[in-house]
Amino acid sequence: MSNATVAALPASKATVNDQIKYRSQAVAKPYFVAAIGLFIGQILFGLIIGLQYFKGDFLFPAIPFGTARMVHTNLLIVWLLFGFMGAGYFLIPEECERELYSPKLAIITFWVFLVAGALTIVGYLGLPYNVLAHLTGNDLLPTMGRGYLEQPLITKVGIVLVALSFLFNLSMTLLSGRKTSISIVMMLGLWGLAIFFLFSFVNPNNLVLDKYFWWWVVHLWVEGVWELIMGAMLAFVLVKVTGVDREIIEKWLYLIIAMTLITGIIGTGHHYFWIGTPGYWQLLGSVFSALEPVPFFMMTVFAFNMVKRRRREHPNQAATLWALGTGVMSFLGAGVWGFLGTLSVVNYYTHGTQLTAAHGHMAFYGAYAMVVLTMISYTMPLLRGREANSAAAQKLEKTAFWVMTLAIVGITLSLTAAAVTQVSLQRLSASPLPFMETQQHIMPMYWARFGFGLCFFTGLMMYVTSFFVTGKRES
């Protein structure tokens, strides 16, 4: 790429410093800032939902429970996507040893995605959902109304265009630069993310087929291609903070990715137990889903092994802590808690209980939120002209790590206790209680979850604050 093309990025968007290798890597910064802002919004709406569990008319009718939940889950997806995109814009140029193909296109893509996402949230909050569907063309091609895929048709089309712009930019960078295992795995994951999202446009009238293809987006994202992205991001950070030979890290990465694809693709079957699919999914879904914790366990061993074999003491100890935490918490959330309800003989009793929410909270935090926070923790000091934040800033960030992580453990255990109570009173009891009566028995667990949610929000604000703490710099 010519110097003129690199210079096309405004100076205000890419401050030149001696910490980043390529000036165009600076386009990652607004993506990371937006990700954190949206993350804060997600948690605020999570707290609203938590209150509505035991005070059902809280903020009603302005923000009904269904709307708050929809915003909460949509913000989760969007802020993680911003984090993945920022990671791609930082990681790919450095791995390819060349400037980003078009920094200007990256900035345009950022603003299009941010504005489209903001308008969608405004639509959720300002209009009845059926009115929003009518105004945005859902009558032409019905795609709305399904969990995690509630976005209007025009937003989904916008997401596809944003993804194409993003992938074009990174692919052109990769094709004309050095190819590494990390960059190739990252690109495979990002392309897979975009391809599987196309199934959000598939909305058959047959309810069985509808649910069947819905999981091709939801499951094959979070238990498939997102794991490739996670593995590449974690490997990139570990290369930087440990100094371990790249060849060793790449061998681990290949093993993890192979197990992810082997178990994750057929493991989709654990969502097919009760939707009307053939009986063989009972066996296939159970067996391959039972193996899904393996790649997450391998990721834990991988992270600790690389840190143990490190050849340098990197000054950014906070990023190292986040990397290790990603391995442990992803194994616990996605692996252990995922396994608890994945066998069909167990899922028969746990399906539709709070065990799913317990698994979802810890898995999303442990696998994807933490790896994005790992990347931000490592890159943001570099983007601001230093190798690491000050000792005082890192101390606060490490405290934030423990507050957030212990809070999510508390949320998970609260929801697990609620699930055990539900199964006992509704599914196993000789005289099963009605749903709403059972809910009264688990209200203490909901209060506990809300308390831990407040702790989590406190930890998140500590994390954000740490980037503004001054003091003696580590580098």
Side-chain angles (χ1 to χ4, degrees):
M1 184 170 61
S2 68
N3 290 333
T5 305
V6 178
L9 185 65
S12 61
K13 299 295 184 183
T15 302
V16 178
N17 63 67
D18 58 0
Q19 294 298 335
I20 58 175
K21 293 185 177 181
Y22 300 95
R23 183 186 180 193
S24 56
Q25 287 178 288
V27 301
K29 188 175 181 179
Y31 284 88
F32 289 144
V33 172
I36 293 298
L38 294 169
F39 189 14
I40 293 171
Q42 183 217 342
I43 303 307
L44 286 173
F45 275 91
L47 292 173
I48 291 173
I49 297 170
L51 274 174
Q52 290 177 335
Y53 261 85
F54 38 80
K55 185 173 174 54
D57 60 352
F58 178 67
L59 295 182
F60 184 84
I63 307 179
F65 177 86
T67 300
R69 181 187 181 277
M70 182 167 58
V71 174
H72 176 65
T73 56
N74 277 234
L75 284 175
L76 166 67
I77 295 169
V78 173
W79 89 257
L80 289 176
L81 292 180
F82 268 105
F84 293 162
M85 293 172 76
Y89 283 129
F90 190 95
L91 181 158
I92 295 298
E94 190 157 327
E95 287 292 300
C96 294
E97 296 184 337
R98 59 152 291 169
E99 294 284 0
L100 184 66
Y101 176 77
S102 176
K104 183 178 289 186
L105 179 60
I107 294 299
I108 293 171
T109 302
F110 167 78
W111 285 110
V112 170
F113 194 21
L114 186 64
V115 171
L119 290 175
T120 301
I121 297 300
V122 170
Y124 289 159
L125 296 173
L127 294 171
Y129 193 66
N130 64 320
V131 175
L132 180 65
H134 177 71
L135 293 176
T136 55
N138 195 62
D139 296 336
L140 299 175
L141 180 62
T143 67
M144 297 175 66
R146 294 171 293 170
Y148 301 102
L149 302 178
E150 297 98 342
Q151 306 84 22
L153 175 62
I154 56 175
T155 301
K156 287 189 175 76
V157 172
I159 291 173
V160 171
L161 295 176
V162 164
L164 288 175
S165 170
F166 169 64
L167 291 170
F168 169 77
N169 210 347
L170 291 191
S171 297
M172 294 299 291
T173 306
L174 178 66
L175 289 173
S176 57
R178 180 182 70 156
K179 283 79 174 174
T180 68
S181 298
I182 292 175
S183 62
I184 291 172
V185 169
M186 184 73 171
M187 290 305 299
L188 284 173
L190 292 171
W191 270 105
L193 185 158
I195 290 169
F196 283 114
F197 181 73
L198 295 177
F199 285 97
S200 67
F201 293 93
V202 178
N203 191 8
N205 290 327
N206 183 291
L207 186 59
V208 176
L209 291 176
D210 173 39
K211 287 297 182 184
Y212 186 89
F213 288 112
W214 180 73
W215 286 113
W216 283 33
V217 182
V218 178
H219 173 91
L220 291 175
W221 264 18
V222 300
E223 296 176 71
V225 293
W226 281 26
E227 289 185 41
L228 273 65
I229 298 169
M230 172 190 172
M233 290 168 63
L234 193 59
F236 175 80
V237 173
L238 288 172
V239 166
K240 301 301 179 182
V241 301
T242 66
V244 174
D245 287 341
R246 177 179 288 269
E247 291 76 12
I248 297 174
I249 288 180
E250 289 180 344
K251 288 177 182 177
W252 273 95
L253 183 59
Y254 282 134
L255 285 172
I256 291 168
I257 296 313
M259 286 302 300
T260 294
L261 295 177
I262 290 171
T263 61
I265 293 175
I266 303 179
T268 310
H270 72 248
H271 299 294
Y272 295 161
F273 291 159
W274 323 117
I275 67 170
T277 52
Y280 56 74
W281 284 115
Q282 300 277 331
L283 176 62
L284 290 177
S286 296
V287 171
F288 282 89
S289 293
L291 296 174
E292 284 188 39
V294 173
F296 288 103
F297 179 72
M298 293 173 67
M299 211 165 292
T300 305
V301 176
F302 162 60
F304 277 86
N305 192 29
M306 293 307 103
V307 171
K308 182 180 179 180
R309 300 171 66 167
R310 61 188 168 197
R311 295 181 173 181
R312 62 173 299 199
E313 287 291 337
H314 197 280
N316 194 337
Q317 292 300 304
T320 305
L321 178 63
W322 280 108
L324 292 173
T326 299
V328 174
M329 294 302 292
S330 64
F331 171 63
L332 290 175
V336 175
W337 256 263
F339 176 77
L340 290 179
T342 201
L343 300 177
S344 61
V345 292
V346 177
N347 191 266
Y348 180 80
Y349 297 99
T350 63
H351 189 78
T353 69
Q354 291 294 340
L355 184 62
T356 304
H359 160 56
H361 279 78
M362 186 179 278
F364 267 108
Y365 173 74
Y368 303 119
M370 288 187 82
V371 80
V372 171
L373 295 177
T374 299
M375 196 73 180
I376 293 174
S377 181
Y378 172 72
T379 60
M380 283 300 279
L382 300 174
L383 292 167
R384 300 170 74 187
R386 51 186 180 269
E387 190 173 14
N389 287 329
S390 69
Q394 290 198 55
K395 182 178 180 180
L396 180 60
E397 185 179 348
K398 289 178 182 178
T399 303
F401 166 90
W402 286 110
V403 171
M404 293 168 69
T405 302
L406 292 175
I408 208 72
V409 170
I411 289 172
T412 302
L413 292 177
S414 300
L415 291 171
T416 303
V420 171
T421 305
Q422 284 180 295
V423 171
S424 175
L425 297 179
Q426 282 187 269
R427 310 287 170 85
L428 297 178
S429 174
S431 303
L433 296 182
F435 175 82
M436 291 306 296
E437 189 173 342
T438 303
Q439 291 298 301
Q440 293 302 314
H441 286 271
I442 58 180
M443 280 297 165
M445 292 78 157
Y446 289 153
W447 276 107
R449 176 184 60 176
F450 181 72
F452 286 119
L454 289 174
C455 293
F456 187 91
F457 182 73
T458 301
L460 176 56
M461 298 314 296
M462 293 170 66
Y463 177 82
V464 174
T465 304
S466 71
F467 289 96
F468 300 96
V469 172
T470 58
K472 185 178 179 181
R473 294 180 180 179
E474 296 293 332
S475 174

